[in-house]
Amino acid sequence: MRVPLSWLREYVDLPATETGRDVQAKLISAGLEVETVEHLGADLKGPLVVGQVLTIEELEGFKKPIRFCTVDVGRANGTGEPQEIVCGARNFSVGDKVVVVLPGATLPGGFSISARKTYGKVSHGMICSSDELGMGDDGSHGIIVLPPETEVGKDAVELLELVDEVLDIAVTANRGDCLSIRGVARETAIAYGLPLRDPALLDVPGPNAFGYPVKVSDPAGCDRFTARTVTGLSPEARSPIWLQRRLQKVGMRPISLAVDVTNYVMMELGQPLHAYDRHQVQGAIGVRRAQEGEKIVTLDGVERKLHAEDLVITDDRGPIGLAGVMGGADTEIADHDPSEEGAGATTDVIIEAAHFDQVSVARTARRHKLSSEASRRFERGVDPQAAAAAAQRTVDLLVLLAGGTAEAGVTEVVAPGAPHTVTMAADHPDKVAGVTYGRETVVRRLQEVGCDVYGQDELIVTVPSWRPDLTDPNDLAEEVIRLEGYENLPSTLPRPPAGRGLTARQRLHRRIGRALAGAGYVEALNYPFVSEQVFDQLGLEADDPARRVVKLVNPLSDEEPALRTSLLPGLLAALRRNDGRGSHDLALFETGLVFQPRDAARVAANLPVDRRPSPDDIAALNAALPDQPRHVAVVLAGAREQAGWWGKGRPADWADAVEAARTVAREAGAELGIRKGQYGPWHPGRCAELTVTVDGAERVVGHAGELHPRVLKTLGLPARSCAMELDLDVLERVGDTVPQAPSISTFPVATQDVALVVDAYVPAAEVEAALREGAGELLESIRLFDVYENAEQLGEGRKSLAYALRFRANDRTLTVDEASAAREAAVALATDRTGAVLRG
């Protein structure tokens, strides 16, 4: 909500020395988020005056039309002689009053004006458009043409109100009252302790039988409807400058007098209004729910198919407006066209000021993807008591500015209702804030916001009609606290109960995060929403369980309606995004939940709100939720080790992804099996299948390796990107997180190397497992330190794997024979299982 300070001062007598920054500080202290204060005309310097065009000479021979004008600016130029100005605009004629900036002036943006030669003439100044003066769009798309009665030589800075301060307020969803000058003025008056001149306090005639007929068939959707009629509007009447400028300052474009007046009153009082061309309305005005399949053409020219829940305004023909959202084109106010001498212009209007249900308007606006200034206000809450005053204010302005006549008939349809009351203990705000305010302060603050308060220890509070957000004692306590100043609340640290801390699961997740961060990975948190097309991009089979997803009824984006079954889509998107922005050496990780639908779908029951749910209620709710295991995943691209004086560096490869899985397994205390595998997005020849033993059975818990080139191309990822994903919950279940102290032996180690030649397709992990089992208890560790392939020396399709074996006994020094025997037993078992042959 944009609030001009000059408009605000009409309703609150602020000190003359108060600036926009001062008001901003006060409103922020009271709980309103004033984002910026815009200084209009801060860099504007005159002379800027009103001139009258005397002559226009069309200059020929240029690529675009150019006009050489003489303009009467009175004595503003010091001589009284006509001012010669070159101008390219076409929307003004001889005799028009225009805005002229003279040499020596400075326009917004630091644009200095001086006499200069252009198009073969000397231009002594400039005829201005609204954009050049920083006024915003006035709909003319050209030079400002002022009313004929404007005095020549008058200061245009003052006339056009070019110097002002505008507060830009981010109004929260519960403060619909502050989407108006009236609401912000009330908050300002409270903040400064000054009286408010309420613009809604008008003398309004009561309803009578002569008003335009209105029938409300849905009182729940429309509990108040006021209709007034004004006739005899002058077709030539235009919005005065002050009204146009106020609309521009609040961010609206002037259109026509009738429309401008309704917009002006809406911004002033917060009550949306609509004006109908009386001659286009056929029969009585009605308010009802739409019939399924009905259609309406709204003011934006779009034909819309209505839903049965849409609340509509009708006449005898059918819908003529979407209630609280936008009017229909059939009854649109027609503006005057000078070329037709007033033909077709609207002279009689019906003013609608109604109060519509918040939820109904919000759903209609979203259903039709049609947000308007009116719908924004109705969604957040509009003062129903202001409807009659807003209609009266509109009538008064039309009579004053357009020469109209207000008809005596007044229509007001009101559904029965009572003011909302809240019962609250007088010390409730004290308990919420932890500060002793006292009853007098609580009552005074509530009365300042418009509440009627009765009672002593227990207060009975009647909420004002403009604050529908005040529904319970905590809302009233918040009003007291914010007006007393959030900054005055004491800062106290909470005292956690003894014996509480992180669970074992939480500690494991933190250890894993620290371990991966220590290994050079950066945590990336992604949204858990995916598109089902991503499974095709990842190359998953049609029957892959990961394709079974939980879909959201109301997703944030229609393109991502499902909950993720893998962490990879989000991480790979982050990898692509960062690579596209110039970060090519990347190592990212994420731990988070994935969502797997249960075989039997259940509907969650509505939990009670008047008591704590029972264990059975919570168990039933959890049973209706999808399985949500926690996964951990990493992605890598670019250089894993940077080049420098220490060496050449190296790129990330599949082994780094496998090592990340080992890092996670070590932190979980789980023994991870690694073997050759093939799945989804990974390269078939560079994919490791990760397994653990659960209840005596081997279980696949993830994969790691280099991604398939086809997947990289489809997703736009860097070449040779790698990834790993593990089921963290399974690792936690089989792991032993009890710290194990290293065993330190006093006896020396016996090291023996062995090089085995195997077929190229035999996994190194399989050979290592056979060597480990064959070596027996004396084997302390085994390490693969060389892989060699040479067809001439080893044969086609063969490779050499060299391992370093360390043997040690806990109770003695091993002899050479004992170490050699263990080595030979290891080689024998490897030969038997994998066909390995000792090299050389």
Side-chain angles (χ1 to χ4, degrees):
M1 176 69 189
R2 290 171 57 84
V3 180
L5 190 59
S6 59
W7 198 350
L8 195 62
R9 288 181 181 274
E10 284 197 5
Y11 309 127
V12 183
D13 288 327
L14 295 172
T17 56
E18 288 294 286
T19 66
R21 294 291 183 191
D22 299 327
V23 177
Q24 177 188 32
K26 285 283 190 179
L27 292 180
I28 289 176
S29 178
L32 289 185
E33 185 181 350
V34 184
E35 293 186 325
T36 60
V37 177
E38 183 180 353
H39 296 268
L40 302 182
D43 51 355
L44 177 65
K45 177 184 175 184
L48 189 72
V49 299
V50 175
Q52 184 173 22
V53 180
L54 301 178
T55 64
I56 298 177
E57 177 187 351
E58 302 289 345
L59 301 182
E60 306 292 341
F62 299 102
K63 293 182 179 180
K64 62 179 182 179
I66 299 297
R67 311 169 98 184
F68 181 65
C69 310
T70 59
V71 184
D72 177 15
V73 294
R75 302 293 301 178
N77 58 3
T79 65
E81 296 295 324
Q83 201 80 2
E84 297 178 338
I85 299 175
V86 175
C87 183
R90 313 290 298 175
N91 69 314
F92 64 96
S93 307
V94 172
D96 283 345
K97 302 289 181 65
V98 294
V99 178
V100 179
V101 56
L102 301 177
T106 302
L107 294 183
F111 182 55
S112 298
I113 303 299
S114 61
R116 62 190 183 95
K117 188 172 183 179
T118 178
Y119 297 102
K121 301 284 187 178
V122 177
S123 182
H124 298 273
M126 187 168 72
I127 303 175
C128 298
S129 68
S130 60
D131 287 338
E132 290 164 341
L133 297 178
M135 296 169 56
D137 184 13
D138 63 355
S140 67
H141 305 292
I143 294 303
I144 301 172
V145 178
L146 300 172
E149 64 272 13
T150 310
E151 179 185 351
V152 172
K154 183 178 178 64
D155 183 4
V157 175
E158 178 183 350
L159 174 69
L160 300 177
E161 302 177 16
L162 297 179
V163 178
D164 202 350
E165 293 181 275
V166 179
L167 286 69
D168 194 348
I169 304 175
V171 179
T172 55
N174 65 319
R175 293 301 306 272
D177 61 305
C178 288
L179 286 174
S180 66
I181 303 297
R182 178 196 184 202
V184 177
R186 181 180 294 108
E187 291 295 314
T188 306
I190 295 172
Y192 278 91
L194 297 172
L196 169 71
R197 287 189 293 274
D198 191 343
L201 294 180
L202 301 175
D203 291 330
V204 180
N208 53 52
F210 309 108
Y212 198 89
V214 174
K215 181 180 179 181
V216 177
S217 302
D218 191 339
C222 176
D223 58 8
R224 185 178 294 266
F225 194 108
T226 300
R228 300 288 300 275
T229 303
V230 181
T231 60
L233 301 181
S234 171
E236 291 80 16
R238 290 292 176 267
S239 300
I241 293 175
W242 64 265
L243 193 151
Q244 294 186 44
R245 288 297 294 134
R246 286 194 170 178
L247 289 178
Q248 288 173 330
K249 289 177 184 179
V250 298
M252 303 189 77
R253 180 172 66 86
I255 298 173
S256 64
L257 178 57
V259 176
D260 291 349
V261 166
T262 58
N263 286 337
Y264 176 85
V265 175
M266 176 180 67
M267 302 307 296
E268 182 180 52
L269 301 182
Q271 168 66 53
L273 301 110
H274 189 70
Y276 301 93
D277 187 327
R278 180 175 180 176
H279 297 296
Q280 301 300 324
V281 179
Q282 299 181 10
I285 292 177
V287 183
R288 62 169 172 83
R289 299 289 171 175
Q291 298 174 8
E292 192 69 40
E294 278 188 311
K295 296 181 179 179
I296 183 176
V297 178
T298 46
L299 287 174
D300 56 358
V302 177
E303 183 179 78
R304 303 180 186 278
K305 186 176 181 180
L306 301 177
H307 188 275
E309 292 184 3
D310 290 336
L311 192 67
V312 294
I313 311 298
T314 64
D315 65 3
D316 291 348
R317 295 167 297 178
I320 59 173
L322 282 173
V325 180
M326 185 174 286
D330 290 343
T331 57
E332 181 180 8
I333 298 294
D335 199 8
H336 168 59
D337 186 348
S339 64
E340 299 183 9
E341 298 183 357
T346 298
T347 57
D348 300 341
V349 296
I350 302 171
I351 305 300
E352 167 207 303
H355 184 259
F356 300 112
D357 177 59
Q358 294 178 235
V359 175
S360 176
V361 172
R363 288 178 176 174
T364 297
R366 282 156 180 74
R367 189 179 297 118
H368 295 283
K369 296 181 173 59
L370 185 61
S371 179
S372 64
E373 290 289 346
S375 68
R376 286 183 62 227
R377 284 162 175 78
F378 280 121
E379 288 172 15
R380 290 160 175 79
V382 169
D383 181 5
Q385 301 294 334
Q392 182 63 45
R393 176 73 164 140
T394 305
V395 169
D396 292 343
L397 287 173
L398 289 176
V399 170
L400 175 66
L401 302 177
T405 301
E407 289 195 350
V410 177
T411 302
E412 190 165 4
V413 180
V414 181
H420 180 64
T421 60
V422 178
T423 301
M424 179 186 73
D427 62 349
H428 182 66
D430 302 4
K431 294 178 180 178
V432 173
V435 176
T436 302
Y437 292 122
R439 179 188 177 280
E440 290 73 15
T441 299
V442 171
V443 171
R444 175 171 57 84
R445 288 303 189 183
L446 292 178
Q447 289 175 338
E448 285 178 348
V449 299
C451 298
D452 290 331
V453 186
Y454 303 95
Q456 292 298 319
D457 294 338
E458 186 175 76
L459 303 179
I460 299 175
V461 182
T462 302
V463 174
S465 58
W466 56 83
R467 292 298 302 273
D469 58 306
L470 303 181
T471 60
D472 56 57
N474 286 334
D475 294 328
L476 300 178
E478 182 182 6
E479 292 300 298
V480 175
I481 295 168
R482 74 176 180 89
L483 294 179
E484 284 295 305
Y486 290 120
E487 68 277 8
N488 296 323
L489 293 178
S491 298
T492 57
L493 293 176
R495 297 179 180 178
R500 304 287 179 87
L502 298 177
T503 64
R505 187 182 192 193
Q506 290 171 329
R507 289 195 295 270
L508 172 60
H509 296 163
R510 293 198 178 188
R511 285 204 312 274
I512 289 172
R514 284 194 294 265
L516 290 174
Y521 290 87
V522 176
E523 186 171 16
L525 302 178
N526 300 289
Y527 285 117
F529 312 117
V530 296
S531 164
E532 292 184 88
Q533 285 72 31
V534 76
F535 302 126
D536 296 327
Q537 297 170 340
L538 293 177
L540 299 186
E541 298 292 338
D543 58 348
D544 194 296
R547 284 183 175 270
R548 294 184 63 237
V549 296
V550 178
K551 290 188 177 180
L552 301 173
V553 175
N554 188 21
L556 292 178
S557 169
D558 293 337
E559 297 179 358
E560 295 180 331
L563 292 173
R564 66 188 178 190
T565 56
S566 166
L567 300 181
L568 288 185
L571 273 179
L572 294 176
L575 181 72
R576 178 180 63 248
R577 186 163 52 250
N578 283 276
D579 179 73
R581 295 177 180 175
S583 298
H584 303 302
D585 303 325
L586 296 161
L588 308 177
F589 85 92
E590 180 178 11
T591 61
L593 300 179
V594 299
F595 305 87
Q596 300 167 349
R598 300 180 189 268
D599 294 332
R602 300 183 182 180
V603 177
N606 291 326
L607 296 181
V609 296
D610 59 339
R611 57 182 171 80
R612 188 183 187 281
S614 68
D616 291 339
D617 291 334
I618 297 175
L621 181 63
N622 288 332
L625 298 176
D627 290 327
Q628 301 176 52
R630 183 173 291 272
H631 282 201
V632 59
V634 306
V635 294
L636 304 101
R640 184 67 177 133
E641 295 178 3
Q642 297 291 335
W645 58 265
W646 52 85
K648 296 182 180 180
R650 68 174 183 85
D653 60 18
W654 62 269
D656 294 302
V658 174
E659 182 58 30
R662 288 196 177 102
T663 300
V664 172
R666 280 195 299 271
E667 293 298 327
E671 185 175 345
L672 192 67
I674 300 173
R675 65 189 182 199
K676 182 179 180 181
Q678 181 176 344
Y679 177 70
W682 280 277
H683 193 297
R686 298 166 188 160
C687 174
E689 193 172 69
L690 310 175
T691 64
V692 294
T693 301
V694 182
D695 299 329
E698 191 176 62
R699 177 172 171 180
V700 177
V701 293
H703 295 83
E706 184 179 317
L707 296 175
H708 198 289
R710 184 173 58 251
V711 173
L712 299 180
K713 182 178 179 181
T714 302
L715 295 177
L717 299 172
R720 309 301 291 269
S721 295
C722 303
M724 178 278 294
E725 184 167 11
L726 274 173
D727 189 327
L728 198 52
D729 283 357
V730 177
L731 285 182
E732 180 185 359
R733 194 191 327 165
V734 303
D736 182 7
T737 58
V738 177
Q740 300 293 328
S743 58
I744 301 174
S745 176
T746 58
F747 299 98
V749 66
T751 302
Q752 296 211 13
D753 295 343
V754 58
L756 301 176
V757 179
V758 296
D759 290 331
Y761 63 82
V762 176
E766 187 176 332
V767 177
E768 179 181 322
L771 289 173
R772 188 183 298 276
E773 183 179 343
E777 295 181 354
L778 295 179
L779 181 67
E780 184 180 76
S781 67
I782 180 172
R783 179 175 62 88
L784 175 67
F785 66 86
D786 184 57
V787 179
Y788 177 69
E789 295 182 7
N790 187 310
E792 294 181 2
Q793 296 184 18
L794 304 178
E796 191 68 34
R798 305 280 282 177
K799 64 181 178 182
S800 170
L801 303 175
Y803 294 88
L805 287 72
R806 292 168 56 93
F807 298 97
R808 196 195 308 260
N810 293 327
D811 57 350
R812 68 188 186 280
T813 299
L814 292 178
T815 65
V816 174
D817 292 339
E818 287 178 310
S820 297
R823 173 182 179 275
E824 290 170 3
V827 172
L829 188 57
T831 300
D832 181 57
R833 287 189 178 176
T834 66
V837 178
L838 273 174
R839 180 180 171 190

